[in-house]
Amino acid sequence: MERKLKKAKKKSRQKEPPQEEEPQVERTLQDEIVKMGNIKASSKIKSCDLLLSGKGELKVVVLLQNNSVECFSLTADPTQAGTAESSKSVRLTLGGHRSDVRTLAFSSDNIAVLSASVESVKIWNRSTLQCIRTMPCDYALCSLFVPGDRHVIVGTKSGKLQLFDLSSGSELDAVDAHDGAVWSISLSPDQRGFTTGGADKCVKFWEFELVNDDNEAQSSRRLSVKQSRVLQMDEDVLCVRHSPDGRLLAVSLLDCTVKIFFVDTLKFFLSLYGHKLPVLCMDVSHDSSIIITGSADRNIKIWGLDFGDCHRSLFGHDDSVMFLQFVPRTHLFFSAGKDRKVKQWDADKFQQVQTLEGHHGEVWCLAISPNGDHVVSSSHDKSLRLWDRTREPLILEEEQEMQREAEFEESVGKGDQPVVAGEKEGEAALAGKKTIETVKATERIMEAVELHREESSKLEEHRALCKAAGKELPKKIHPILQAYGNMSSSDYVLDVIKKVRSSELEESLLVLPFSYVPDLLTLFRDYMRQSSDVELICRCLFFLLRIHFGGITSNQMLLGVIEDLKSCTISRVTEVRDVMGVNMAALQFLKREIEAKEEVLFFADATERFEEKRRKRKKKEKMLLTLV
């Protein structure tokens, strides 16, 4: 209204004569804005929309910053402002986490999956993939299902152990366990307690117990935990694992070592050292004979628990190894790394079985179901991925071939080509892998050389028969040579070599057996004498001499051929170089001639444009004089 009034005053001043009366602006129904009420959403609002129903009820739908949609209903009296009452009728939200999931766990019945992140603990149904329970928590780092699958325990970054009841979805207890972050938790094999390791350089042993619930009116008992023993360490504890037989406890420390103690007496047993960076994860096999460790140095080491010897060190991932776990009742294990991959390994044969790709960020952790048929992994992309074991047979050779092809394609994309052994980087860039195209090109060269051998022997026999008969006898020509216009066998070999792609020529010659090299060198000598495709023949000749130097120099039959090639090659290359020099000089001369002509034309065009402008200027001056 103020803007309209100001505008009306401005118009009245502009009129002549100016009006002395104050302009009046009437308010209409469209100018009346009445505040009905406030709507309070649970998070920041990104967008909204309104819907007025036939009953006069106003519905407001808002999209929130946390990927939720809320619908509110407003009922108000139009005669009274600010009397609207809003009520939330519907709320749609995603079941996933809003932050990275740092811990996962499977229930003993293979049905429920626990995932915990910065703000909440969620329980999922594996078969329906639905979130059945969400409970708020602190920054979770480790977790486990309490035997019986009715409670879960979560270790947090603040050093607390939070105990949750799944039936009610409430927190039963919060225990200050460590002075620093609780990095790892391990259920004891007797299922009567568990062990935790934290940043306060302590390994603490806990037992389950039933205590009286003070919140209930009637006398009832609930589950709780109590500390039984403490093992003081010299460094921060990153991971703890029990051996399934209950005899040993493995503790990973910040000083890159793994120390193993007896559980009953807590006496030191073994020390595993060999990693260059701290060990972030580990696991013990079902028979308590093997322990695997994964480190930030990207290596996975397999150790024997009897003497602590390292069976094998595997380069596991391209970045830090974040989680390791054995498949129950086997020596197969899965590993997760920051390179966005989940890999399966065989601890007996020390080889990789398969690679599971699909995550778009660093993989933080994984969990394997007790029956070994399912694997759940979590990543920095805030997603949980469920992997099911199929009944199809897995052929390791095919998996390894696919992995090699993927690595080769990735190296080609980055421009990292392997070089020949003994040469510096940049001198040569040869492919170290056979492809279908190079093998086919090699086979065509071999067939052409064999055809040349047959035709050469037939030609010698034909000449002997003609000499014995004393007259020229008809000669039978090979069908392939007839199809190419009765060309000679040597020309056919050259034609086959010319048809090989330039990018695949060296690779094809690299696969070629040495038995065909003498024939090719003899043919190269003939081609050089005829000055046929000197550049192509020199390229093939120099490459064969480089890769078969030992075999060629040790063959006495090829010394004469090499000497002839030396003299022919020098002379022919000199001729080609002279021709190229003349051609370059001629091209430069033509270039200078063309540039000179273009400069003359440009100067003539500029002169014409200048004269045209001067004529136009004179014409304008004459017109002005005439008008005056």
Side-chain angles (χ1 to χ4, degrees):
M1 293 296 295
E2 290 177 357
R3 282 200 304 269
K4 288 184 178 182
L5 186 61
K6 186 177 181 181
K7 191 174 181 180
K9 288 181 180 179
K10 187 176 180 181
K11 286 184 178 180
S12 64
R13 293 194 193 101
Q14 292 176 356
K15 291 182 179 180
E16 292 182 359
Q19 297 179 0
E20 296 180 357
E21 297 180 359
E22 189 74 16
Q24 298 293 329
V25 177
E26 296 182 359
R27 293 193 301 175
T28 62
L29 184 62
Q30 295 178 351
D31 300 324
E32 297 286 343
I33 300 175
V34 178
K35 181 179 178 182
M36 297 179 61
N38 295 331
I39 295 178
K40 183 66 174 178
S42 59
S43 181
K44 185 182 290 186
I45 298 175
K46 293 180 66 176
S47 63
C48 66
D49 197 5
L50 305 176
L51 175 64
L52 185 61
S53 63
K55 300 179 180 180
E57 184 182 16
L58 180 65
K59 292 185 178 181
V60 182
V61 181
V62 293
L63 174 63
L64 306 181
Q65 190 75 29
N66 59 359
N67 294 342
S68 299
V69 177
E70 294 182 352
C71 181
F72 297 88
S73 299
L74 276 78
T75 56
D77 186 1
T79 60
Q80 297 181 2
T83 60
E85 295 181 359
S86 63
S87 60
K88 187 188 299 183
S89 57
V90 180
R91 185 174 188 269
L92 303 177
T93 181
L94 293 175
H97 290 271
R98 300 293 179 269
S99 56
D100 293 2
V101 176
R102 303 305 297 263
T103 176
L104 293 168
F106 253 105
S107 62
S108 59
D109 56 1
N110 309 294
I111 295 178
V113 179
L114 179 149
S115 64
S117 62
V118 176
E119 75 285 343
S120 63
V121 178
K122 292 180 180 290
I123 308 298
W124 305 80
N125 189 313
R126 179 193 53 79
S127 58
T128 62
L129 305 180
Q130 297 297 320
C131 180
I132 58 179
R133 186 74 69 202
T134 300
M135 299 164 286
C137 71
D138 295 342
Y139 198 129
L141 296 176
C142 54
S143 61
L144 60 82
F145 272 92
V146 177
D149 299 334
R150 295 183 178 180
H151 303 82
V152 294
I153 295 178
V154 175
T156 65
K157 193 174 183 179
S158 59
K160 291 183 180 180
L161 288 176
Q162 292 182 298
L163 178 63
F164 295 93
D165 184 9
L166 296 184
S167 60
S168 61
S170 60
E171 180 182 352
L172 296 181
D173 201 356
V175 181
D176 293 328
H178 293 267
D179 295 334
V182 183
W183 289 114
S184 180
I185 186 170
S186 177
L187 184 66
S188 60
D190 58 4
Q191 298 187 351
R192 296 181 179 178
F194 58 93
T195 305
T196 58
D200 57 353
K201 305 179 183 180
C202 291
V203 177
K204 296 187 178 182
F205 297 82
W206 305 82
E207 293 180 355
F208 298 115
E209 65 173 355
L210 294 175
V211 296
N212 294 325
D213 193 354
D214 299 334
N215 297 328
E216 296 291 336
Q218 300 178 354
S219 60
S220 62
R221 298 171 69 84
R222 63 173 177 83
L223 184 68
S224 184
V225 295
K226 69 174 181 178
Q227 180 181 328
S228 59
R229 292 183 295 175
V230 178
L231 176 62
Q232 188 68 37
M233 307 301 297
D234 297 331
E235 295 287 343
D236 291 6
V237 180
L238 301 181
C239 186
V240 292
R241 285 293 180 269
H242 282 275
S243 63
D245 58 4
R247 192 171 64 95
L248 301 174
L249 175 70
V251 181
S252 166
L253 302 177
L254 193 60
D255 60 359
C256 310
T257 62
V258 176
K259 297 187 182 298
I260 301 176
F261 301 88
F262 290 102
V263 174
D264 51 358
T265 61
L266 297 184
K267 288 185 177 180
F268 176 75
F269 175 52
L270 288 174
S271 181
L272 310 178
Y273 53 90
H275 284 287
K276 298 178 182 179
L277 292 174
V279 176
L280 305 178
C281 52
M282 58 185 177
D283 198 15
V284 184
S285 61
H286 69 285
D287 53 3
S288 303
S289 62
I290 297 175
I291 181 173
I292 52 176
T293 57
S295 169
D297 61 4
R298 303 178 291 181
N299 289 321
I300 299 172
K301 291 184 182 292
I302 304 174
W303 315 77
L305 266 180
D306 45 3
F307 300 106
D309 55 327
C310 182
H311 293 175
R312 186 64 62 92
S313 181
L314 305 172
F315 183 77
H317 293 265
D318 297 332
D319 209 332
S320 301
V321 183
M322 299 303 297
F323 205 86
L324 290 172
Q325 188 173 354
F326 272 105
V327 178
R329 298 178 296 279
T330 66
H331 279 181
L332 300 174
F333 65 93
F334 283 87
S335 66
K338 283 187 176 181
D339 58 352
R340 309 177 182 181
K341 296 178 182 178
V342 177
K343 297 184 178 181
Q344 185 181 12
W345 306 82
D346 190 340
D348 293 331
K349 298 180 180 179
F350 312 121
Q351 62 182 0
Q352 181 180 337
V353 178
Q354 61 179 336
T355 301
L356 306 178
E357 297 182 357
H359 282 291
H360 304 291
E362 297 90 340
V363 183
W364 297 124
C365 60
L366 57 87
I368 304 176
S369 61
N371 58 5
D373 290 340
H374 310 281
V375 176
V376 175
S377 58
S378 68
S379 168
H380 180 58
D381 58 11
K382 301 177 181 57
S383 67
L384 302 180
R385 291 185 180 269
L386 176 65
W387 314 84
D388 295 333
R389 183 169 65 179
T390 60
R391 302 304 174 187
E392 300 176 1
L394 183 67
I395 302 175
L396 292 180
E397 288 76 9
E398 293 182 359
E399 291 290 330
Q400 294 171 359
E401 181 67 22
M402 292 172 60
Q403 183 182 0
R404 283 194 296 267
E405 290 181 358
E407 292 176 354
F408 175 73
E409 291 176 359
E410 184 177 359
S411 64
V412 169
K414 293 180 180 179
D416 301 331
Q417 292 287 345
V419 299
V420 178
E423 292 187 353
K424 296 181 181 179
E425 187 175 358
E427 292 185 0
L430 304 177
K433 174 181 170 55
K434 294 189 296 185
T435 60
I436 298 175
E437 290 77 9
T438 57
V439 172
K440 288 182 178 180
T442 305
E443 290 177 353
R444 289 195 295 269
I445 296 175
M446 292 167 58
E447 291 174 357
V449 173
E450 290 174 357
L451 188 146
H452 173 68
R453 289 175 182 173
E454 294 177 2
E455 290 299 311
S456 299
S457 60
K458 289 180 181 179
L459 184 60
E460 293 294 334
E461 294 176 359
H462 179 72
R463 288 175 181 173
L465 291 175
C466 292
K467 187 176 182 181
K471 61 179 181 179
E472 188 70 23
L473 297 175
K475 184 177 68 172
K476 185 178 181 181
I477 302 176
H478 197 277
I480 295 180
L481 300 179
Q482 289 182 359
Y484 279 86
N486 295 333
M487 66 164 48
S488 63
S489 57
S490 60
D491 293 339
Y492 175 70
V493 176
L494 179 59
D495 186 70
V496 170
I497 295 175
K498 288 165 63 176
K499 289 181 179 178
V500 179
R501 291 181 181 177
S502 178
S503 60
E504 299 172 357
L505 184 59
E506 281 84 359
E507 290 85 344
S508 302
L509 294 176
L510 188 65
V511 184
L512 188 70
F514 181 74
S515 58
Y516 294 89
V517 174
D519 298 280
L520 283 178
L521 293 178
T522 306
L523 289 170
F524 290 167
R525 179 185 59 181
D526 299 337
Y527 300 149
M528 282 294 181
R529 289 174 177 174
Q530 301 170 8
S531 299
S532 301
D533 294 288
V534 177
E535 295 181 21
L536 175 64
I537 299 305
C538 286
R539 181 182 174 187
C540 299
L541 174 62
F542 297 154
F543 182 77
L544 290 176
L545 290 175
R546 190 186 309 165
I547 62 175
H548 296 295
F549 180 78
I552 292 173
T553 54
S554 61
N555 192 340
Q556 298 294 329
M557 302 295 294
L558 294 177
L559 292 180
V561 178
I562 296 298
E563 289 294 332
D564 295 340
L565 278 170
K566 180 181 178 182
S567 57
C568 293
T569 303
I570 293 174
S571 60
R572 295 296 180 264
V573 170
T574 303
E575 293 176 2
V576 172
R577 185 178 58 189
D578 293 342
V579 172
M580 291 181 64
V582 173
N583 292 339
M584 288 295 295
L587 289 173
Q588 290 176 0
F589 173 75
L590 292 174
K591 179 183 177 182
R592 289 194 296 270
E593 290 291 324
I594 292 172
E595 288 177 352
K597 289 182 180 180
E598 288 180 352
E599 288 177 0
V600 172
L601 292 174
F602 175 76
F603 182 75
D605 294 341
T607 306
E608 289 179 359
R609 287 196 297 270
F610 179 75
E611 292 293 336
E612 184 69 25
K613 287 182 179 178
R614 191 171 63 178
R615 284 195 299 268
K616 288 182 179 179
R617 188 167 59 249
K618 287 184 178 180
K619 189 175 180 180
K620 288 181 180 179
E621 290 176 356
K622 289 181 180 179
M623 292 175 65
L624 290 172
L625 290 172
T626 304
L627 291 172
V628 171

